[in-house]
Amino acid sequence: MKIQDSVALVTGANRGLGLAFAHGLLAGGARKVYAAARDPASVTLAGVEAIKLDVTKPDEVEAAARALGDVSVVINNAGISRGSGFLGDDGLPALRAEFDTNFFGPLLMSRAFAPILAKNGGGAIVNVLSALSWVNMPTSSTYCASKSAAWSLSNGLRNELAGQGTQVLALHVGFMDTDMVRHVKAPKSKPEDVVAQTLAALEAGKSEVLADEVSRRIKQNLSAEPGVYLVPPAAA
């Protein structure tokens, strides 16, 4: 997959990591970048084409696929976090909302755009996941579950789309300097650095990006004894 002359679609592209992806794709020579957001007026980056798209609405996803037949790269970046535990009063609605966006969103997008990617030579899908795909935090356990499911989705899509030559790249990263975690006091990666690593991995034909020390450490310790996912978060 080459960024130069590609046609990319980025969901949740109006701010944060999505905006950084749009910047990075333009800088990398993409021929066209569709910047998708629920409110296209919130997309202010020059050089992109703003698209109205709520990934939780199948009709909007299908309409986007009908309209954007030239796409060669889909970056499933749109995501939400409600900061809820499973047993909290808002646990179930939070879980449903997070799964709608973080799991079913990428699934709907992948189903809709897979035939387009095949027609355009295979292309690629990038799923923005998390270091929390592998561990669970009590203050955001519903979010962790949605990202864990999205990791499994990514692995399944990679197998199902291999025959048509579509690369599926999973991006794992811890805290980034974005609005989603502005309240968290911890080291944070720069979105621009995460994008640079991801686009380089895409061009190198890789299937996974571990974009920071947190994600690398957690991945390494999955097979530790006890596994990192069994260790209380404060000691992980």
Side-chain angles (χ1 to χ4, degrees):
M1 185 69 226
K2 298 299 180 185
I3 304 304
Q4 183 73 38
D5 295 325
S6 64
V7 177
L9 168 59
V10 184
T11 65
N14 56 327
R15 61 180 183 170
L17 183 62
L19 178 59
F21 264 117
H23 271 288
L25 289 160
L26 290 175
R31 176 162 50 88
K32 187 183 296 184
V33 177
Y34 296 112
R38 286 174 293 182
D39 177 10
S42 65
V43 178
T44 59
L45 177 63
V48 302
E49 184 172 336
I51 300 296
K52 176 177 171 54
L53 177 59
D54 182 338
V55 299
T56 70
K57 296 182 177 179
D59 57 337
E60 291 193 14
V61 173
E62 291 165 7
R66 289 194 298 270
L68 310 180
D70 54 350
V71 167
S72 57
V73 183
V74 174
I75 298 183
N76 287 315
N77 165 76
I80 64 169
S81 175
R82 293 289 174 83
S84 177
F86 290 127
L87 303 181
D89 291 341
D90 60 347
L92 286 179
L95 184 64
R96 290 190 175 104
E98 288 162 339
F99 262 78
D100 271 347
T101 301
N102 302 344
F103 175 80
F104 286 105
L107 174 59
L108 290 173
M109 290 291 294
S110 299
R111 287 175 60 89
F113 280 90
I116 294 169
L117 297 178
K119 181 192 69 174
N120 293 332
I125 294 171
V126 177
N127 287 337
V128 177
L129 306 180
S130 173
L132 298 180
S133 302
W134 300 311
V135 295
N136 199 289
M137 306 289 286
T139 55
S140 56
S141 54
T142 58
Y143 172 82
C144 297
S146 71
K147 287 298 186 178
S148 182
W151 177 45
S152 183
L153 169 65
S154 302
N155 294 332
L157 288 173
R158 188 177 300 112
N159 294 334
E160 293 189 35
L161 295 175
Q164 69 175 45
T166 297
Q167 179 183 356
V168 177
L169 177 63
L171 163 61
H172 295 272
V173 63
F175 294 127
M176 288 182 291
D177 190 11
T178 65
D179 288 345
M180 182 182 287
V181 293
R182 63 183 179 275
H183 61 286
V184 176
K185 294 181 180 180
K188 299 174 185 177
S189 301
K190 295 181 179 180
E192 297 79 10
D193 293 342
V194 175
V195 167
Q197 292 182 64
T198 304
L199 297 185
L202 195 62
E203 292 202 324
K206 294 185 178 180
S207 298
E208 186 173 74
V209 181
L210 307 179
D212 63 355
E213 180 57 32
V214 171
S215 57
R216 289 188 286 271
R217 185 176 70 249
I218 291 176
K219 176 70 180 298
Q220 183 179 23
N221 286 311
L222 286 174
S223 58
E225 186 57 47
V228 66
Y229 51 89
L230 297 174
V231 178

